[in-house]
Amino acid sequence: MILITGGARSGKSHLAERIANQKIATCGGNVLYIATSLATDDEMSRRIEQHKLTRPAQWRTHEGYRQLGNEIRQQSAFFAVVVLECITTMLTNLIFDWAGDNDPDHLDYLALERWLEPQIDDLLKACAGSQSEIIIVTNELGCGIVPEYPLARHFLDIAGRVNQKLAQQANEVHLVVSGIDVKIKG
């Protein structure tokens, strides 16, 4: 498993796509691209379309953010490489699913994290058991200021702990800064 992290617009996606293309050029096979974003408005729809244009047409795309461990188990035998883009977007979507219409200032964040933990553990278990090369993209959120609002602070904490779990299991970890890849593990 390869984990790629960095800030927004750092070049993480480009690196993931480049590594995936190198892997299939060397070993053959095809790529499954798991896209976790939702088109919640016109601007996000344009971003998603722009991402699609950067990927090779022969790559298969699965759009979703739930039960990704199951998706990897079911599909990885058919693909040499699986790219999961991105963990922080997946977490955002899952958190909003869990929270529903409740006031974010009054959520039970401990219960939320207990709800998320088995899903992350299942994803990691699926990655560990996969025959495919798994490339996971996530955002490094810990380099900025501590957010003003409780939801943002708790999201920062949750994403940081999830990223730590991913990095611990990954064979390689890359940090991308301003388009420059710095391999920090493996």
Side-chain angles (χ1 to χ4, degrees), residues 81-116:
V81 179
V82 175
V83 176
L84 194 165
E85 165 102 28
C86 95
I87 290 294
T88 44
T89 303
M90 178 195 80
L91 288 172
T92 299
N93 294 333
L94 289 171
I95 288 168
F96 283 116
D97 282 356
W98 183 85
D101 292 330
N102 294 310
D103 179 359
D105 290 336
H106 298 98
L107 294 177
D108 183 346
Y109 288 102
L110 192 56
L112 167 61
E113 201 157 357
R114 282 194 304 263
W115 179 77
L116 286 168

Side-chain angles (χ1 to χ4, degrees), residues 23-93:
K23 296 279 183 189
I24 60 172
T26 304
C27 304
N30 207 347
V31 176
L32 171 63
Y33 189 94
I34 300 174
T36 62
S37 291
L38 294 175
T40 54
D41 57 31
D42 290 341
E43 187 266 341
M44 194 62 186
S45 294
R46 285 189 297 275
R47 284 177 179 260
I48 290 169
E49 289 306 313
Q50 191 63 35
H51 261 281
K52 287 178 181 178
L53 293 174
T54 68
R55 295 193 297 266
Q58 70 271 22
W59 288 15
R60 180 177 172 263
T61 300
H62 169 80
E63 294 180 353
Y65 60 91
R66 294 183 187 106
Q67 300 178 344
L68 296 184
N70 287 341
E71 184 67 22
I72 288 171
R73 277 186 207 89
Q74 292 171 6
Q75 298 295 331
S76 66
F78 305 107
F79 296 93
V81 179
V82 175
V83 176
L84 194 165
E85 165 102 28
C86 95
I87 290 294
T88 44
T89 303
M90 178 195 80
L91 288 172
T92 299
N93 294 333

Side-chain angles (χ1 to χ4, degrees), residues 2-19 85 135-143 163 172-185:
I2 298 171
L3 180 66
I4 301 172
T5 189
R9 295 287 173 244
S10 63
K12 302 179 304 291
S13 299
H14 180 71
L15 177 61
E17 292 168 10
R18 191 174 81 229
I19 292 171
E85 165 102 28
I135 303 169
I136 297 178
V137 177
T138 190
N139 287 285
E140 175 52 55
L141 304 174
C143 294
N163 285 347
E172 290 180 24
V173 179
H174 297 256
L175 173 64
V176 183
V177 180
S178 300
I180 299 170
D181 171 25
V182 180
K183 190 174 184 182
I184 57 176
K185 180 181 177 184

